[in-house]
Amino acid sequence: GGEAEWQALRVACGRPFPDAELTREINPLEAGLYHTISFSKGCYLGQETVAKVNGAPAPKQRLLGVRLDGPALPGTALFADDDGGARAGVVTSMLSCGTGLVMIRSAVGTAGLRVRSAPDELGVVRRGTALEVPFASRSEAQSAGPREQVGVVAGGGTPAPSAVDAKALAAAADAAAAEGVRKAAKLVEMQARFEAFKAKTAKAGGGPPPAG
């Protein structure tokens, strides 16, 4: 194994990485790291910000996977692939096969959102779908055969050919399974809170104007 193999497994499992999904602009909860945060511990650096995000109906943005029809460099802007074309988020990690990690704005959509990339230097636009993570599943890993060629697209670089052992991918899927179930339940709860908040806001906005 090597760096490319490790990065491919990391993306498959939806694990955030420093300077990619772990930056000053991304709150740990937006990156799905609820299991790493204490909500009962005493004062610690960043506690107020974390508590604010946890108390909101939904985070401003959250980490999702994406499958595009080709690779897009990290930092590439993403837009909803519809008539509105709202700014949806940004690519944070990408493999040469077009599978990667993205930060998607909660106000625009969640898993299942069809997205398109900003044009690259050659004017190429990539299209695909935002997905829940982890990508890795034992059935997918086993159906891929003994080894599958993949590569990591580094910022400004070219795809680096590499190989990922399908057994390792299956093992990573097993390790992520329990965490994935817990995260999915939390995300369902957050989505419900967000929808309730939107409904309450819409109702408040549609009420009669104040007397005066």
Side-chain angles (χ1 to χ4, degrees):
E3 178 67 16
E5 288 89 344
W6 187 89
Q7 288 288 351
L9 287 172
R10 176 185 74 80
V11 169
C13 292
R15 297 298 179 92
F17 190 71
D19 297 324
E21 297 79 30
L22 298 176
T23 71
R24 292 179 180 273
E25 290 73 34
I26 299 175
N27 187 284
L29 301 188
E30 295 174 340
L33 297 177
Y34 286 87
H35 61 292
T36 69
I37 303 294
S38 172
F39 298 101
S40 59
K41 184 180 177 181
C43 183
Y44 58 86
L45 186 64
Q47 182 184 34
E48 183 176 348
T49 302
V50 168
K52 183 177 180 180
V53 173
N54 188 53
K60 179 179 65 175
Q61 58 182 356
R62 73 183 185 91
L63 178 65
L64 291 174
V66 71
R67 282 200 175 107
L68 301 176
D69 55 13
L73 289 175
T76 300
L78 294 174
F79 301 87
D81 195 12
D82 55 24
D83 293 338
R87 174 70 178 262
V90 64
V91 175
T92 55
S93 296
M94 181 60 59
L95 305 180
S96 61
C97 59
T99 295
L101 300 178
V102 294
M103 295 301 300
I104 295 293
R105 294 171 56 204
S106 298
V108 177
T110 184
L113 177 69
R114 295 286 300 172
V115 295
R116 59 177 172 81
S117 71
D120 63 16
E121 294 180 353
L122 299 178
V124 175
V125 174
R126 301 298 187 183
R127 285 181 162 84
T129 305
L131 303 167
E132 293 288 358
V133 289
F135 290 106
S137 70
R138 177 169 289 277
S139 60
E140 288 178 342
Q142 290 175 336
S143 65
R147 303 187 73 82
E148 177 183 4
Q149 293 296 319
V150 299
V152 176
V153 178
T158 57
S162 181
V164 173
D165 191 320
K167 291 183 179 180
L169 185 58
D174 288 343
E179 179 184 335
V181 170
R182 185 195 54 76
K183 286 174 62 177
K186 178 68 176 179
L187 291 172
V188 168
E189 176 190 350
M190 291 173 58
Q191 188 66 31
R193 290 167 59 189
F194 183 54
E195 293 299 330
F197 175 76
K198 288 198 300 183
K200 181 179 179 181
T201 302
K203 183 177 179 180

